[in-house]
Amino acid sequence: MSETEEIMSACSLCPRDCHVDRNAGKKGFCGEDKTVYLARAALHMWEEPCISGKKGSGAVFFSGCGLRCCFCQNHDIAIGSRGLAVTVERLSEIFLELQEKGAANINLVTGAHYVPQIVQALDQARMEGMDLPVVYNSSGYEKTETLKMLEGYVDIYLPDMKYMETDLAEKYSHAADYPDIAKAAVAEMVRQTGPCEFGADGYIRRGTIVRHLILPGHTRNSREVLNYLHETYGKNIYISIMNQYTPMPGINARYPELGRKLTPQEYDEVV
């Protein structure tokens, strides 16, 4: 049994700790077995300017997710209902193809449940000449043990820090432990990358950028997130404050407080 198969035989890659045998076709919270499924792989122009720039980020969107927030804008991807099965060899080829298209970096989007396969694919792509910075784009709900598997492979971490309030984390993501998990995850990410470094062209080359999506009616949570990040990391990280919250169809029925967009006043308050 290979190392990847051993990990997949009782999967605990994410904090859900499902321990299902993904080799046998079982699926845990993420909704995926051992087969890698991709929902999209293309140049992505709408990440932070220092990541996408004018070249575009080589974004690889993995199907499935270990968090599944109720307000997710990629719900069909998160629940694993969209995607094309690819081998590790094909995944490495996709990385190389994105480099050939002029991507500024390789951007791994929500790949926690596929980390062993991602590492294999990056090894293969590098042997074939892939030399772009690698971005790990994450919900922030990550196990430090899994992140340590990525040391030396990831140059830029792009995690969310969604909540500091446990009741919100439980209500909207069924993950009351999110604040503690995300704190530990970001700490590991910063340990690996150190302070942010930029090239003369303005693209980030190394470091951690923490995203925070402001939820309508919850600016207190946002202030707590930002205060924690600033007090803990100072200028060693960058912070991306996002105002693009969009009510998804049907959310009013269960979470009426999330049934509207953010107001300019709420965004200004947090900024």
Side-chain angles (χ1 to χ4, degrees):
M1 182 181 289
S2 69
E3 183 179 359
T4 296
E5 288 173 331
E6 185 175 353
I7 292 170
M8 293 288 165
S9 68
C11 186
S12 59
L13 285 168
C14 88
R16 300 292 184 183
D17 281 328
C18 300
H19 291 286
V20 299
D21 185 354
R22 293 171 65 186
N23 293 321
K26 304 293 184 182
K27 298 180 180 181
F29 193 94
C30 68
E32 302 295 343
D33 58 23
K34 71 171 183 178
T35 304
V36 177
Y37 282 86
L38 302 185
R40 185 173 187 266
L43 295 181
H44 187 42
M45 306 303 296
W46 303 282
E47 301 285 37
E48 282 72 8
C50 62
I51 292 177
S52 284
K54 294 182 179 179
K55 296 179 180 179
S57 180
V60 179
F61 289 82
F62 293 90
S63 299
C65 179
L67 192 58
R68 296 194 194 177
C69 306
C70 68
F71 50 82
C72 181
Q73 296 181 44
N74 293 315
H75 179 72
D76 53 344
I77 296 175
I79 64 173
S81 63
R82 259 183 68 191
L84 178 68
V86 298
T87 63
V88 168
E89 291 74 20
R90 178 61 189 138
L91 182 58
S92 69
E93 291 173 357
I94 288 170
F95 296 158
L96 291 164
E97 290 166 7
L98 289 168
Q99 176 170 269
E100 290 172 6
K101 290 178 180 179
N105 44 61
I106 299 298
N107 186 350
L108 309 169
V109 185
T110 318
H113 46 295
Y114 290 129
V115 163
Q117 295 95 324
I118 286 170
V119 167
Q120 288 179 287
L122 287 172
D123 277 334
Q124 291 186 27
R126 285 176 172 176
M127 286 190 291
E128 296 294 326
M130 197 279 283
D131 60 359
L132 294 177
V134 174
V135 180
Y136 188 75
N137 192 327
S138 160
S139 69
Y141 196 57
E142 302 271 355
K143 290 182 76 168
T144 57
E145 295 86 351
T146 302
L147 292 172
K148 287 175 181 177
M149 296 169 63
L150 293 166
E151 188 163 8
Y153 290 92
V154 171
D155 304 282
I156 301 142
Y157 280 103
L158 187 61
D160 294 336
M161 184 165 274
K162 299 177 184 291
Y163 313 106
M164 287 295 287
E165 298 183 4
T166 57
D167 58 334
L168 294 186
E170 174 61 29
K171 184 176 184 180
Y172 297 144
S173 300
H174 302 290
D177 57 351
Y178 180 95
D180 289 338
I181 294 288
K183 286 178 184 178
V186 171
E188 174 60 21
M189 294 172 182
V190 175
R191 183 195 70 78
Q192 289 184 25
T193 65
C196 293
E197 300 173 8
F198 294 81
D201 55 5
Y203 287 101
I204 187 169
R205 294 287 183 261
R206 189 166 185 84
T208 299
I209 300 175
V210 182
R211 288 171 164 172
H212 175 68
L213 176 68
I214 308 170
L215 297 176
H218 294 297
T219 57
R220 183 182 67 182
N221 175 65
S222 296
R223 292 195 303 271
E224 290 177 3
V225 168
L226 298 178
N227 285 336
Y228 170 78
L229 291 172
H230 179 67
E231 290 169 3
T232 306
Y233 299 106
K235 296 183 179 180
N236 287 325
I237 64 170
Y238 274 64
I239 298 173
S240 177
I241 304 175
M242 302 188 294
N243 68 346
Q244 65 261 45
Y245 173 81
T246 302
M248 300 307 290
I251 199 163
N252 272 320
R254 294 186 63 193
Y255 307 101
E257 71 276 16
L258 297 182
R260 64 173 176 85
K261 291 187 175 183
L262 201 68
T263 67
Q265 292 77 16
E266 286 173 315
Y267 183 69
D268 290 345
E269 176 187 340
V270 175
V271 170

